[in-house]
Amino acid sequence: GAGVSQSPSNKVTEKGKDVELRCDPISGHTALYWYRQSLGQGLEFLIYFQGNSAPDKSGLPSDRFSAERTGGSVSTLTIQRTQQEDSAVYLCASSPRLAGDRTDTQYFGPGTRLTVL
Amino acid sequence: TQLLEQSPQFLSIQEGENLTVYCNSSSVFSSLQWYRQEPGEGPVLLVTVVTGGEVKKLKRLTFQFGDARKDSSLHITAAQPGDTGLYLCAGDRGTYKYIFGTGTRLKVLA
């Protein structure tokens, strides 16, 4: 079956512009995560959606970052007034979160490489 | 604040050698996961450990969760070039909010 897809795969933008990054999770997965990964480093948690619950936004680095998940499926991460330090790979992951699961099995997309000039 | 420290950061070894990667924290985690990531791709889950002292084996890979659930190790026996990649540990405190480690970049030379 289809995995997690992200678009665009690469995005180059100028400082100060807004960007939108899209994530299509695996169908039926209720949990969706966004992470940021700087070159060759570990992942930084940004935001997490679970079903109809309020998202956990505690990892968003500033109010320039926001995310939404429409209809419990597709998610969009928006970065307003981009800065050079926003350059990174943005990864999305989804999880089925089955009843009784104590942990999430996260399936990651390939990421969007964002470059802010 | 980086809660999960991995060591070593980089490791270059010859095919057939054994290696161990460590993931350490001062915090207790309810579960810990290990991922492998290849260039241009997202991480792929290798294993989840949830019980202190738990040992799991996946072919040539052995994963251990510390008794106090603060640390973990990944041991690879007879490494192969296909094992090359970025290895990441990730801990959860029961909130489904995963904290990822700093990463260990492994290169296995043929």
Side-chain angles (χ1 to χ4, degrees):
Chain A
V4 176
S5 61
Q6 293 186 244
S7 59
S9 55
N10 283 283
K11 176 71 176 178
V12 180
T13 190
E14 294 179 346
K15 177 182 173 181
K17 300 285 189 182
D18 298 351
V19 295
E20 285 189 352
L21 312 180
R22 177 185 169 107
C23 172
D24 283 86
I26 295 173
S27 177
H29 281 196
T30 59
L32 187 147
Y33 296 79
W34 282 98
Y35 295 91
R36 178 168 69 175
Q37 185 175 32
S38 299
L39 187 61
Q41 300 299 308
L43 278 64
E44 175 189 3
F45 167 82
L46 296 177
I47 188 169
Y48 149 62
F49 298 87
Q50 168 54 24
N52 296 320
S53 302
D56 181 339
K57 305 180 181 180
S58 60
L60 295 178
S62 78
D63 58 9
R64 297 186 295 105
F65 288 72
S66 62
E68 62 178 19
R69 188 178 185 191
T70 54
S73 181
V74 171
S75 178
T76 302
L77 177 69
T78 301
I79 308 173
Q80 296 179 310
R81 304 181 302 282
T82 52
Q83 303 295 313
Q84 289 183 330
E85 59 263 29
D86 299 334
S87 296
V89 175
Y90 290 81
L91 290 159
C92 172
S94 69
S95 171
R97 183 68 62 79
L98 302 175
D101 277 353
R102 293 170 57 189
T103 66
D104 268 340
T105 298
Q106 296 182 73
Y107 296 84
F108 281 84
T112 293
R113 181 175 298 278
L114 175 65
T115 303
V116 182
L117 302 177
Chain B
T1 302
Q2 186 57 257
L3 296 180
L4 276 171
E5 296 288 340
Q6 288 185 235
S7 61
Q9 278 189 286
F10 301 96
L11 192 53
S12 180
I13 61 171
Q14 293 293 324
E15 181 176 5
E17 293 184 356
N18 302 332
L19 67 116
T20 302
V21 177
Y22 299 93
C23 175
N24 295 296
S25 174
S26 57
S27 301
V28 175
F29 291 99
S30 60
S31 69
L32 198 135
Q33 299 179 325
W34 284 92
Y35 292 80
R36 181 170 67 213
Q37 184 179 23
E38 300 191 24
E41 300 180 7
V44 175
L45 180 66
L46 297 174
V47 76
T48 299
V49 285
V50 298
T51 304
E54 182 176 3
V55 177
K56 280 191 174 179
K57 292 191 175 184
L58 183 66
K59 297 184 180 178
R60 294 177 294 101
L61 278 61
T62 302
F63 305 87
Q64 184 164 9
F65 201 11
D67 290 342
R69 290 185 286 125
K70 292 183 179 181
D71 53 80
S72 181
S73 64
L74 157 61
H75 182 79
I76 301 178
T77 303
Q80 299 177 0
D83 296 328
T84 293
L86 178 66
Y87 288 81
L88 296 160
C89 62
D92 165 41
R93 292 178 172 170
T95 61
Y96 299 100
K97 179 178 164 182
Y98 290 83
I99 307 299
F100 277 76
T102 47
T104 294
R105 187 166 298 280
L106 171 65
K107 186 169 186 178
V108 182
L109 304 170

